[in-house]
Coordinates of all heavy atoms in Angstrom, one line a residue:
P1 N 128.2 -116.9 85.3 CA 128.3 -118.3 85.7 C 129.0 -119.2 84.8 O 129.7 -120.1 85.3 CB 126.8 -118.7 85.7 CG 126.1 -117.4 85.7 CD 126.9 -116.4 85.1
F2 N 129.1 -119.0 83.6 CA 129.9 -119.8 82.6 C 131.4 -119.6 82.8 O 132.1 -120.6 82.8 CB 129.5 -119.4 81.1 CG 128.3 -119.9 80.7 CD1 127.3 -118.9 80.5 CD2 128.0 -121.1 80.4 CE1 126.1 -119.3 80.0 CE2 126.7 -121.5 79.9 CZ 125.7 -120.6 79.8
L3 N 131.8 -118.5 83.2 CA 133.3 -118.2 83.5 C 133.7 -118.9 84.7 O 134.9 -119.2 85.0 CB 133.5 -116.7 83.6 CG 133.3 -116.0 82.3 CD1 133.6 -114.4 82.4 CD2 134.2 -116.5 81.2
R4 N 132.7 -119.1 85.7 CA 133.1 -119.9 86.9 C 132.9 -121.4 86.7 O 133.0 -122.2 87.7 CB 132.0 -119.4 88.0 CG 132.3 -118.0 88.4 CD 131.4 -117.8 89.7 NE 129.9 -117.9 89.5 CZ 129.1 -117.0 89.2 NH1 129.6 -115.7 89.1 NH2 127.8 -117.2 89.1
G5 N 132.6 -121.9 85.5 CA 132.5 -123.3 85.2 C 131.1 -123.8 85.6 O 130.9 -125.1 85.5
E6 N 130.1 -123.0 85.8 CA 128.8 -123.4 86.0 C 128.1 -123.6 84.8 O 128.4 -123.0 83.7 CB 128.1 -122.4 86.9 CG 128.8 -122.2 88.3 CD 128.2 -121.1 89.1 OE1 127.1 -120.6 88.7 OE2 128.8 -120.8 90.1
S7 N 126.9 -124.2 84.8 CA 126.1 -124.4 83.6 C 124.7 -124.0 83.9 O 123.8 -124.8 84.2 CB 126.0 -126.0 83.1 OG 127.3 -126.3 82.7
P8 N 124.5 -122.7 83.8 CA 123.2 -122.1 84.1 C 122.1 -122.5 83.1 O 122.5 -122.7 82.0 CB 123.3 -120.6 84.3 CG 124.5 -120.3 83.4 CD 125.3 -121.6 83.5
K9 N 120.9 -122.5 83.3 CA 119.8 -122.7 82.4 C 119.5 -121.4 81.6 O 119.3 -120.3 82.2 CB 118.5 -123.1 83.1 CG 117.3 -123.1 82.2 CD 117.2 -124.5 81.5 CE 115.9 -124.7 80.9 NZ 115.8 -124.9 79.5
L10 N 119.7 -121.5 80.3 CA 119.5 -120.4 79.5 C 118.1 -120.0 79.3 O 117.2 -121.0 79.1 CB 120.1 -120.5 78.1 CG 121.7 -120.7 78.1 CD1 122.1 -121.0 76.6 CD2 122.3 -119.4 78.6
T11 N 117.6 -118.8 79.4 CA 116.2 -118.3 79.2 C 116.1 -117.5 77.9 O 115.1 -117.2 77.6 CB 115.7 -117.5 80.4 OG1 116.6 -116.4 80.5 CG2 115.7 -118.4 81.6
R12 N 117.2 -117.2 77.3 CA 117.2 -116.5 76.0 C 118.7 -116.8 75.3 O 119.6 -117.1 76.1 CB 117.0 -114.9 76.2 CG 118.1 -114.4 77.1 CD 117.8 -112.9 77.3 NE 118.8 -112.4 78.3 CZ 118.8 -111.2 78.8 NH1 117.8 -110.4 78.5 NH2 119.7 -110.9 79.6
P13 N 118.7 -116.5 74.1 CA 119.9 -116.9 73.4 C 121.1 -115.9 73.8 O 120.9 -114.8 74.2 CB 119.6 -116.5 71.9 CG 118.2 -116.6 71.8 CD 117.7 -116.1 73.2
L14 N 122.3 -116.5 73.8 CA 123.5 -115.6 74.0 C 124.0 -115.1 72.7 O 124.0 -116.0 71.7 CB 124.6 -116.5 74.6 CG 124.4 -117.1 76.1 CD1 125.5 -117.9 76.5 CD2 124.1 -115.9 77.1
V15 N 124.4 -113.9 72.6 CA 124.6 -113.4 71.3 C 126.0 -112.6 71.3 O 126.3 -112.1 72.3 CB 123.6 -112.4 70.8 CG1 124.0 -111.8 69.4 CG2 122.3 -113.0 70.8
A16 N 126.8 -112.8 70.3 CA 128.1 -112.0 70.1 C 128.3 -111.7 68.6 O 127.9 -112.5 67.8 CB 129.2 -112.9 70.7
E17 N 129.0 -110.6 68.5 CA 129.4 -110.2 67.2 C 130.9 -109.6 67.2 O 131.2 -108.8 68.2 CB 128.5 -109.2 66.5 CG 128.9 -108.8 65.2 CD 127.8 -107.9 64.4 OE1 127.2 -107.0 65.2 OE2 127.6 -108.0 63.3
S18 N 131.8 -109.9 66.3 CA 133.1 -109.4 66.4 C 133.2 -108.4 65.2 O 132.4 -108.3 64.3 CB 134.1 -110.5 66.2 OG 134.2 -110.9 64.8
A19 N 134.3 -107.6 65.4 CA 134.6 -106.6 64.3 C 135.0 -107.2 63.0 O 134.9 -106.6 62.0 CB 135.7 -105.7 64.8
R20 N 135.4 -108.5 63.1 CA 135.7 -109.3 61.8 C 134.4 -109.8 61.2 O 134.5 -110.7 60.4 CB 136.8 -110.3 62.0 CG 138.0 -109.6 62.4 CD 139.2 -110.7 62.5 NE 139.2 -111.4 61.1 CZ 140.2 -111.2 60.3 NH1 141.4 -110.6 60.7 NH2 140.3 -111.8 59.2
R21 N 133.2 -109.3 61.5 CA 132.0 -109.8 61.0 C 131.6 -111.2 61.2 O 131.0 -111.8 60.4 CB 132.0 -109.4 59.4 CG 132.1 -108.0 59.2 CD 132.2 -107.6 57.8 NE 131.3 -108.4 57.0 CZ 131.5 -108.5 55.6 NH1 132.5 -108.1 55.0 NH2 130.6 -109.1 54.9
M22 N 132.0 -111.6 62.4 CA 131.6 -113.0 62.8 C 130.4 -112.8 63.9 O 130.5 -112.1 64.8 CB 132.7 -113.7 63.6 CG 132.3 -115.3 63.9 SD 133.8 -116.1 64.6 CE 134.7 -116.3 63.0
Q23 N 129.3 -113.6 63.6 CA 128.2 -113.5 64.5 C 128.0 -114.9 65.0 O 128.1 -115.9 64.4 CB 127.0 -113.1 63.6 CG 127.1 -111.9 62.9 CD 126.1 -111.6 61.9 OE1 125.5 -112.5 61.3 NE2 125.8 -110.3 61.6
V24 N 127.7 -114.9 66.4 CA 127.4 -116.1 67.2 C 126.3 -116.1 68.0 O 125.9 -115.0 68.6 CB 128.7 -116.5 68.1 CG1 128.5 -117.8 68.8 CG2 129.9 -116.5 67.3
M25 N 125.4 -117.1 67.9 CA 124.2 -117.2 68.8 C 124.2 -118.6 69.4 O 124.3 -119.7 68.6 CB 123.0 -117.0 68.0 CG 121.8 -116.7 68.8 SD 120.4 -116.1 67.7 CE 120.5 -114.3 67.9
V26 N 124.0 -118.7 70.8 CA 123.8 -120.0 71.5 C 122.3 -120.0 71.9 O 122.0 -119.1 72.7 CB 124.7 -120.2 72.6 CG1 124.6 -121.5 73.3 CG2 126.3 -120.1 72.0
F27 N 121.6 -121.0 71.5 CA 120.2 -121.1 71.9 C 120.0 -121.9 73.2 O 120.9 -122.7 73.5 CB 119.3 -121.7 70.7 CG 119.4 -120.8 69.5 CD1 120.4 -120.9 68.6 CD2 118.5 -119.8 69.3 CE1 120.5 -120.1 67.4 CE2 118.5 -119.1 68.2 CZ 119.5 -119.2 67.3
E28 N 118.8 -121.8 73.8 CA 118.6 -122.5 75.1 C 118.5 -124.0 74.8 O 118.7 -124.8 75.8 CB 117.3 -122.0 75.7 CG 116.1 -122.1 74.9 CD 114.8 -121.5 75.7 OE1 114.6 -120.3 75.4 OE2 114.2 -122.2 76.4
D29 N 118.3 -124.5 73.6 CA 118.2 -125.9 73.4 C 119.6 -126.5 73.1 O 119.8 -127.6 72.8 CB 117.3 -126.2 72.2 CG 117.7 -125.6 70.9 OD1 118.8 -124.9 70.8 OD2 117.1 -125.8 69.8
G30 N 120.7 -125.6 73.3 CA 122.1 -126.1 73.2 C 122.7 -125.9 71.8 O 123.8 -126.5 71.5
I31 N 121.9 -125.4 70.8 CA 122.4 -125.2 69.5 C 123.3 -124.0 69.3 O 122.8 -122.9 69.8 CB 121.2 -125.3 68.4 CG1 120.5 -126.6 68.5 CG2 121.9 -124.9 67.1 CD1 121.4 -127.8 68.1
K32 N 124.4 -124.0 68.8 CA 125.3 -122.9 68.6 C 125.4 -122.7 67.1 O 125.8 -123.6 66.4 CB 126.6 -123.2 69.2 CG 127.7 -122.0 69.1 CD 128.9 -122.2 69.8 CE 129.9 -121.1 69.7 NZ 131.1 -121.5 70.4
V33 N 125.2 -121.5 66.7 CA 125.4 -121.1 65.2 C 126.4 -120.0 65.2 O 126.5 -119.1 65.9 CB 124.0 -120.5 64.6 CG1 124.2 -120.2 63.2 CG2 122.9 -121.6 64.8
I34 N 127.3 -120.3 64.2 CA 128.4 -119.2 64.0 C 128.3 -118.9 62.4 O 128.4 -119.8 61.6 CB 129.8 -119.9 64.2 CG1 129.8 -120.4 65.6 CG2 130.9 -118.8 64.0 CD1 131.0 -121.2 66.0
R35 N 128.2 -117.7 62.2 CA 128.1 -117.2 60.8 C 129.3 -116.2 60.6 O 129.4 -115.1 61.2 CB 126.8 -116.4 60.5 CG 126.7 -115.9 59.1 CD 125.3 -115.4 58.9 NE 125.2 -114.7 57.7 CZ 125.2 -113.4 57.4 NH1 125.3 -112.6 58.5 NH2 125.2 -113.0 56.2
D36 N 130.2 -116.5 59.7 CA 131.4 -115.7 59.5 C 131.2 -115.0 58.1 O 131.3 -115.6 57.0 CB 132.7 -116.6 59.4 CG 134.0 -115.8 59.2 OD1 133.9 -114.6 58.7 OD2 135.0 -116.3 59.8
A37 N 130.7 -113.8 58.1 CA 130.4 -113.0 56.9 C 131.7 -112.8 56.1 O 131.6 -112.6 54.9 CB 129.6 -111.8 57.2
H38 N 132.9 -112.6 56.8 CA 134.1 -112.4 56.1 C 134.5 -113.5 55.3 O 134.8 -113.5 54.1 CB 135.2 -112.1 57.2 CG 136.6 -112.0 56.7 ND1 137.0 -111.0 55.8 CD2 137.6 -112.7 56.8 CE1 138.3 -111.1 55.4 NE2 138.7 -112.2 56.0
R39 N 134.3 -114.7 55.7 CA 134.7 -115.9 55.0 C 133.6 -116.5 54.2 O 133.8 -117.5 53.5 CB 135.3 -117.0 55.9 CG 136.6 -116.5 56.6 CD 137.3 -117.7 57.3 NE 138.6 -117.3 57.7 CZ 139.0 -117.4 59.0 NH1 138.2 -117.8 59.9 NH2 140.2 -117.1 59.3
G40 N 132.3 -116.2 54.6 CA 131.2 -116.7 53.9 C 130.9 -118.2 54.4 O 130.4 -118.9 53.6
T41 N 131.1 -118.4 55.7 CA 131.0 -119.8 56.2 C 129.9 -119.8 57.3 O 129.6 -118.8 57.9 CB 132.3 -120.4 56.8 OG1 132.7 -119.5 57.8 CG2 133.4 -120.5 55.7
V42 N 129.3 -120.9 57.6 CA 128.4 -121.2 58.6 C 128.7 -122.5 59.4 O 129.1 -123.4 58.7 CB 126.9 -121.3 58.1 CG1 125.9 -121.7 59.1 CG2 126.5 -120.0 57.3
E43 N 128.7 -122.4 60.7 CA 128.8 -123.6 61.5 C 127.6 -123.7 62.4 O 127.2 -122.7 62.9 CB 130.1 -123.5 62.2 CG 131.3 -123.3 61.4 CD 132.6 -123.0 62.3 OE1 132.9 -123.7 63.3 OE2 133.2 -122.0 62.0
I44 N 127.2 -124.9 62.6 CA 126.1 -125.2 63.6 C 126.5 -126.5 64.3 O 126.9 -127.4 63.8 CB 124.8 -125.5 62.9 CG1 124.4 -124.3 62.0 CG2 123.7 -125.9 63.9 CD1 123.1 -124.5 61.3
Y45 N 126.5 -126.3 65.7 CA 126.9 -127.3 66.7 C 125.8 -127.6 67.6 O 125.1 -126.7 68.1 CB 128.2 -127.0 67.4 CG 129.4 -126.8 66.5 CD1 129.8 -125.5 66.1 CD2 130.0 -127.8 65.9 CE1 130.8 -125.3 65.3 CE2 131.1 -127.6 65.0 CZ 131.4 -126.3 64.7 OH 132.5 -126.1 63.9
D46 N 125.6 -128.8 68.0 CA 124.8 -129.2 69.1 C 125.6 -129.4 70.4 O 126.3 -130.4 70.5 CB 124.0 -130.6 68.8 CG 123.1 -131.0 69.9 OD1 123.1 -130.5 71.0 OD2 122.2 -131.9 69.5
L47 N 125.6 -128.5 71.2 CA 126.6 -128.4 72.3 C 126.2 -129.5 73.4 O 127.1 -130.0 74.2 CB 126.6 -127.1 73.0 CG 127.1 -125.9 72.1 CD1 127.1 -124.6 72.8 CD2 128.5 -126.2 71.5
N48 N 125.0 -130.0 73.3 CA 124.6 -131.0 74.2 C 125.3 -132.4 73.9 O 125.7 -133.2 74.8 CB 123.1 -131.2 74.3 CG 122.4 -130.1 75.0 OD1 122.8 -129.5 75.9 ND2 121.3 -129.6 74.3
R49 N 125.4 -132.6 72.6 CA 125.9 -133.9 72.0 C 127.5 -133.7 71.7 O 128.1 -134.6 71.6 CB 125.2 -134.3 70.9 CG 123.8 -134.8 71.1 CD 123.2 -135.3 70.0 NE 121.8 -135.6 70.2 CZ 120.8 -135.6 69.3 NH1 121.0 -135.5 68.1 NH2 119.6 -135.9 69.6
D50 N 127.8 -132.4 71.4 CA 129.2 -132.2 70.8 C 129.8 -130.9 71.5 O 130.0 -130.0 70.8 CB 129.0 -132.0 69.3 CG 130.4 -131.8 68.6 OD1 131.5 -132.1 69.2 OD2 130.4 -131.3 67.5
P51 N 130.0 -131.0 72.8 CA 130.5 -129.8 73.6 C 131.9 -129.2 73.0 O 132.2 -128.1 73.2 CB 130.6 -130.2 75.0 CG 130.7 -131.7 75.0 CD 129.9 -132.1 73.7
K52 N 132.7 -130.1 72.4 CA 133.9 -129.7 71.8 C 133.9 -129.1 70.4 O 134.9 -128.7 69.8 CB 134.9 -130.8 72.0 CG 135.3 -131.2 73.4 CD 136.5 -132.1 73.3 CE 136.7 -132.5 74.9 NZ 137.8 -133.5 74.9
E53 N 132.6 -129.1 69.9 CA 132.4 -128.5 68.6 C 133.2 -129.2 67.4 O 133.9 -128.6 66.7 CB 132.6 -127.0 68.6 CG 131.7 -126.3 69.6 CD 131.9 -124.7 69.6 OE1 132.5 -124.2 68.7 OE2 131.6 -124.2 70.6
L54 N 133.2 -130.4 67.4 CA 134.0 -131.2 66.5 C 133.2 -131.6 65.2 O 133.8 -131.8 64.2 CB 134.5 -132.5 67.2 CG 135.4 -132.4 68.4 CD1 135.7 -133.7 69.0 CD2 136.6 -131.6 68.0
S55 N 131.8 -131.6 65.3 CA 131.0 -132.0 64.2 C 130.1 -130.8 63.7 O 129.1 -130.6 64.4 CB 130.2 -133.2 64.6 OG 129.3 -133.5 63.6
N56 N 130.5 -130.3 62.6 CA 129.7 -129.1 62.1 C 128.5 -129.7 61.3 O 128.6 -130.2 60.2 CB 130.6 -128.3 61.2 CG 129.8 -127.1 60.5 OD1 128.6 -126.9 60.8 ND2 130.6 -126.3 59.8
L57 N 127.4 -129.5 62.0 CA 126.1 -130.1 61.4 C 125.7 -129.4 60.1 O 125.2 -130.0 59.3 CB 124.9 -129.9 62.4 CG 125.2 -130.7 63.8 CD1 124.0 -130.4 64.8 CD2 125.4 -132.1 63.5
Y58 N 126.0 -128.2 59.9 CA 125.7 -127.4 58.8 C 126.5 -127.9 57.6 O 125.9 -128.2 56.5 CB 126.0 -126.0 58.9 CG 125.5 -125.2 57.7 CD1 124.2 -124.7 57.7 CD2 126.3 -124.7 56.7 CE1 123.7 -124.0 56.5 CE2 125.9 -123.9 55.6 CZ 124.6 -123.6 55.6 OH 124.1 -122.8 54.5
K59 N 127.8 -128.2 57.7 CA 128.6 -128.7 56.7 C 128.3 -130.2 56.3 O 128.3 -130.6 55.2 CB 130.1 -128.7 57.2 CG 131.1 -129.1 56.1 CD 132.5 -128.8 56.5 CE 133.4 -129.1 55.5 NZ 134.8 -129.0 56.0
E60 N 127.6 -130.9 57.4 CA 127.3 -132.2 57.1 C 125.9 -132.4 56.6 O 125.3 -133.5 56.4 CB 127.5 -133.0 58.4 CG 128.9 -133.2 58.8 CD 129.0 -133.7 60.3 OE1 128.0 -134.2 60.8 OE2 130.1 -133.8 60.7
G61 N 125.2 -131.2 56.4 CA 123.8 -131.2 55.9 C 122.7 -131.6 56.9 O 121.6 -131.9 56.6
Q62 N 123.2 -131.5 58.2 CA 122.2 -132.0 59.3 C 121.8 -130.8 60.1 O 121.0 -131.0 61.1 CB 122.9 -133.0 60.2 CG 123.4 -134.2 59.4 CD 124.2 -135.1 60.4 OE1 124.2 -135.0 61.5 NE2 124.8 -136.1 59.7
G63 N 122.2 -129.6 59.9 CA 121.9 -128.4 60.7 C 120.5 -127.9 60.3 O 120.0 -128.0 59.2
D64 N 119.8 -127.5 61.4 CA 118.4 -127.0 61.3 C 118.5 -125.5 60.8 O 119.0 -124.7 61.6 CB 117.8 -127.2 62.7 CG 116.3 -126.8 62.6 OD1 115.9 -126.2 61.7 OD2 115.5 -127.1 63.6
E65 N 118.0 -125.2 59.7 CA 118.1 -123.9 59.1 C 117.3 -122.9 59.9 O 117.6 -121.7 60.0 CB 117.4 -123.8 57.7 CG 118.3 -124.5 56.7 CD 119.5 -123.9 56.2 OE1 119.4 -122.5 56.2 OE2 120.5 -124.5 55.9
R66 N 116.4 -123.3 60.9 CA 115.7 -122.3 61.6 C 116.5 -121.5 62.6 O 116.3 -120.3 62.9 CB 114.4 -122.8 62.3 CG 114.7 -123.6 63.6 CD 113.3 -124.2 64.1 NE 113.9 -125.2 65.0 CZ 114.0 -125.1 66.3 NH1 113.6 -124.0 66.9 NH2 114.4 -126.1 67.0
H67 N 117.6 -122.2 63.2 CA 118.5 -121.5 64.1 C 119.2 -120.4 63.3 O 119.5 -119.4 63.8 CB 119.4 -122.5 64.7 CG 118.7 -123.3 65.8 ND1 118.2 -124.6 65.4 CD2 118.5 -123.2 67.1 CE1 117.8 -125.2 66.5 NE2 117.8 -124.2 67.5
L68 N 119.7 -120.8 62.0 CA 120.4 -119.9 61.2 C 119.5 -118.7 60.8 O 120.0 -117.5 60.9 CB 121.0 -120.5 59.9 CG 121.8 -119.7 59.0 CD1 123.0 -119.0 59.7 CD2 122.2 -120.6 57.9
D69 N 118.3 -118.9 60.5 CA 117.3 -117.9 60.2 C 117.1 -116.9 61.4 O 116.9 -115.7 61.2 CB 116.0 -118.5 59.8 CG 116.0 -119.3 58.5 OD1 117.0 -119.0 57.7 OD2 115.2 -120.1 58.1
L70 N 117.1 -117.5 62.6 CA 116.8 -116.7 63.8 C 118.2 -115.8 64.0 O 117.9 -114.6 64.3 CB 116.6 -117.5 64.9 CG 115.3 -118.2 65.1 CD1 115.2 -119.2 66.2 CD2 114.2 -117.1 65.3
L71 N 119.3 -116.3 63.8 CA 120.5 -115.5 63.9 C 120.5 -114.3 62.8 O 120.8 -113.3 63.2 CB 121.7 -116.4 63.7 CG 123.1 -115.6 63.7 CD1 124.1 -116.4 64.5 CD2 123.5 -115.5 62.3
R72 N 120.2 -114.7 61.6 CA 120.1 -113.6 60.5 C 119.1 -112.6 60.9 O 119.4 -111.4 60.7 CB 119.9 -114.4 59.2 CG 121.0 -115.1 58.6 CD 120.5 -115.7 57.3 NE 121.6 -116.3 56.6 CZ 121.5 -117.5 56.0 NH1 120.4 -118.1 56.0 NH2 122.6 -118.0 55.5
A73 N 117.9 -113.0 61.3 CA 116.8 -112.0 61.6 C 117.3 -111.1 62.8 O 117.0 -110.0 62.8 CB 115.5 -112.9 62.0
F74 N 118.0 -111.7 63.8 CA 118.3 -110.9 64.9 C 119.3 -109.8 64.6 O 119.1 -108.7 64.9 CB 119.0 -111.8 66.1 CG 119.5 -111.0 67.1 CD1 118.8 -110.5 68.2 CD2 120.9 -110.6 67.2 CE1 119.3 -109.8 69.3 CE2 121.4 -109.8 68.3 CZ 120.6 -109.4 69.2
F75 N 120.3 -110.2 63.8 CA 121.4 -109.2 63.4 C 120.9 -108.2 62.3 O 121.2 -107.0 62.4 CB 122.6 -110.0 63.0 CG 123.5 -110.4 64.1 CD1 123.5 -111.8 64.4 CD2 124.2 -109.5 64.9 CE1 124.2 -112.2 65.5 CE2 125.0 -110.1 65.9 CZ 124.9 -111.4 66.3
S76 N 120.0 -108.7 61.6 CA 119.3 -107.8 60.6 C 118.5 -106.7 61.4 O 118.5 -105.5 61.0 CB 118.4 -108.6 59.6 OG 117.7 -107.6 58.7
A77 N 117.8 -107.1 62.3 CA 117.0 -106.2 63.2 C 117.8 -105.2 64.0 O 117.3 -104.2 64.2 CB 116.0 -106.9 64.1
Q78 N 118.9 -105.6 64.4 CA 119.9 -104.8 65.1 C 120.9 -103.9 64.3 O 121.6 -103.1 64.8 CB 120.8 -105.7 66.1 CG 120.0 -106.6 67.0 CD 119.0 -105.8 67.9 OE1 119.3 -104.8 68.4 NE2 117.8 -106.3 67.9
T79 N 120.7 -104.0 63.0 CA 121.7 -103.3 62.1 C 121.2 -101.8 62.0 O 119.9 -101.6 61.5 CB 121.8 -104.0 60.7 OG1 122.3 -105.2 60.9 CG2 122.7 -103.2 59.8
L80 N 122.1 -100.9 62.2 CA 121.6 -99.5 62.1 C 121.6 -99.1 60.6 O 122.5 -99.4 59.9 CB 122.6 -98.6 62.7 CG 122.4 -97.1 62.7 CD1 121.1 -96.7 63.3 CD2 123.5 -96.3 63.3
R81 N 120.4 -98.6 60.2 CA 120.3 -98.1 58.8 C 119.9 -96.7 58.7 O 118.8 -96.3 59.2 CB 119.3 -99.0 58.0 CG 119.6 -100.5 57.9 CD 118.4 -101.3 57.3 NE 118.8 -102.6 57.2 CZ 118.6 -103.6 58.2 NH1 118.2 -103.2 59.4 NH2 118.9 -104.8 57.9
R82 N 120.8 -95.9 58.4 CA 120.6 -94.4 58.3 C 121.5 -93.8 57.1 O 122.6 -94.2 56.9 CB 121.1 -93.8 59.6 CG 120.8 -92.3 59.7 CD 121.3 -91.8 61.0 NE 120.5 -92.4 62.1 CZ 120.9 -92.4 63.4 NH1 122.0 -91.9 63.7 NH2 120.2 -92.9 64.3
E83 N 120.8 -93.0 56.4 CA 121.4 -92.4 55.2 C 122.7 -91.7 55.7 O 123.0 -91.0 56.6 CB 120.6 -91.3 54.6 CG 121.1 -90.7 53.3 CD 120.1 -89.8 52.7 OE1 118.9 -89.9 52.8 OE2 120.7 -88.9 51.9
G84 N 123.8 -92.1 54.8 CA 125.1 -91.5 55.1 C 126.0 -92.3 56.2 O 127.1 -92.1 56.4
Y85 N 125.3 -93.2 56.9 CA 126.0 -94.1 57.9 C 126.7 -95.3 57.3 O 126.1 -96.0 56.4 CB 125.0 -94.6 58.9 CG 125.7 -95.5 59.9 CD1 126.4 -95.0 60.9 CD2 125.5 -96.8 59.8 CE1 127.0 -95.9 61.9 CE2 126.1 -97.8 60.7 CZ 126.9 -97.3 61.7 OH 127.4 -98.2 62.7
S86 N 128.0 -95.5 57.7 CA 128.6 -96.7 57.2 C 129.1 -97.4 58.5 O 129.4 -96.8 59.5 CB 129.8 -96.5 56.3 OG 130.7 -95.7 56.9
V87 N 129.3 -98.7 58.4 CA 129.7 -99.6 59.5 C 131.1 -99.1 60.0 O 132.0 -98.9 59.1 CB 129.7 -101.0 59.2 CG1 130.3 -101.9 60.3 CG2 128.4 -101.5 58.7
P88 N 131.3 -98.9 61.2 CA 132.6 -98.4 61.6 C 133.8 -99.2 61.6 O 135.0 -98.8 61.9 CB 132.3 -97.9 63.2 CG 131.2 -98.8 63.6 CD 130.5 -99.0 62.3
Y89 N 133.7 -100.5 61.4 CA 134.8 -101.3 61.2 C 135.2 -101.5 59.7 O 134.4 -101.3 58.8 CB 134.6 -102.7 61.9 CG 133.4 -103.4 61.5 CD1 133.3 -104.2 60.4 CD2 132.2 -103.4 62.3 CE1 132.2 -104.8 60.0 CE2 131.2 -104.0 62.0 CZ 131.1 -104.8 60.8 OH 129.9 -105.5 60.5
Q90 N 136.4 -102.0 59.4 CA 136.9 -102.1 58.1 C 136.1 -103.3 57.4 O 135.8 -104.4 57.9 CB 138.3 -102.5 58.1 CG 138.9 -102.7 56.7 CD 140.4 -103.1 56.7 OE1 141.0 -103.1 57.8 NE2 141.0 -103.2 55.7
K91 N 135.6 -103.0 56.2 CA 135.0 -103.8 55.3 C 136.0 -104.8 54.6 O 136.9 -104.3 54.0 CB 134.0 -103.3 54.4 CG 132.9 -102.6 55.1 CD 131.9 -102.0 54.1 CE 130.9 -101.3 54.9 NZ 129.7 -100.8 54.1
W92 N 135.8 -106.0 54.6 CA 136.8 -106.9 54.1 C 136.4 -107.2 52.6 O 136.0 -107.9 52.0 CB 136.9 -108.2 54.9 CG 137.2 -107.8 56.3 CD1 136.3 -107.8 57.3 CD2 138.5 -107.6 56.8 NE1 137.0 -107.4 58.4 CE2 138.3 -107.4 58.2 CE3 139.7 -107.6 56.4 CZ2 139.3 -107.0 59.1 CZ3 140.7 -107.3 57.2 CH2 140.6 -107.0 58.6

């Protein structure tokens, strides 16, 4: 629906992760969190008020840490931990 330009009601977060260690989560309340482990940066946007992502609430000290905590918890829970296993992408 998003690719067709529609705005469906989210019932669970949208999640994405790139090989460059960037993690993104969009919550049903319109908050988008971007964590770039490569650069060590965090961005939080309120897409309802700022759909063009011009105002980084985290950088401005206005971001709600619970969204960031949920992103961290999700990716931590999804990380494969096994003796001898290493992440298949290049570590920066």
Side-chain angles (χ1 to χ4, degrees):
F2 288 106
L3 296 177
R4 292 190 300 266
E6 299 171 12
S7 297
K9 174 82 171 122
L10 295 178
T11 57
R12 60 184 177 185
L14 297 175
V15 180
E17 183 176 33
S18 76
R20 293 191 57 116
R21 299 175 43 203
M22 183 175 288
Q23 302 166 337
V24 181
M25 191 173 262
V26 180
F27 296 88
E28 62 185 89
D29 62 359
I31 299 297
K32 179 177 181 180
V33 179
I34 304 167
R35 180 173 174 256
D36 188 333
H38 174 65
R39 292 189 175 126
T41 60
V42 173
E43 300 171 55
I44 299 177
Y45 299 100
D46 182 342
L47 298 178
N48 295 318
R49 295 183 183 159
D50 182 19
K52 294 184 178 183
E53 301 176 19
L54 300 175
S55 179
N56 180 357
L57 299 176
Y58 188 81
K59 187 174 182 181
E60 296 171 6
Q62 300 173 15
D64 186 343
E65 290 284 328
R66 82 185 157 95
H67 290 95
L68 179 57
D69 291 343
L70 289 169
L71 176 137
R72 286 182 177 136
F74 175 85
F75 283 102
S76 177
Q78 302 303 316
T79 299
L80 178 63
R81 292 174 181 85
R82 184 178 297 156
E83 188 175 333
Y85 174 80
S86 63
V87 180
Y89 52 82
Q90 181 179 0
K91 294 185 181 189
W92 304 95

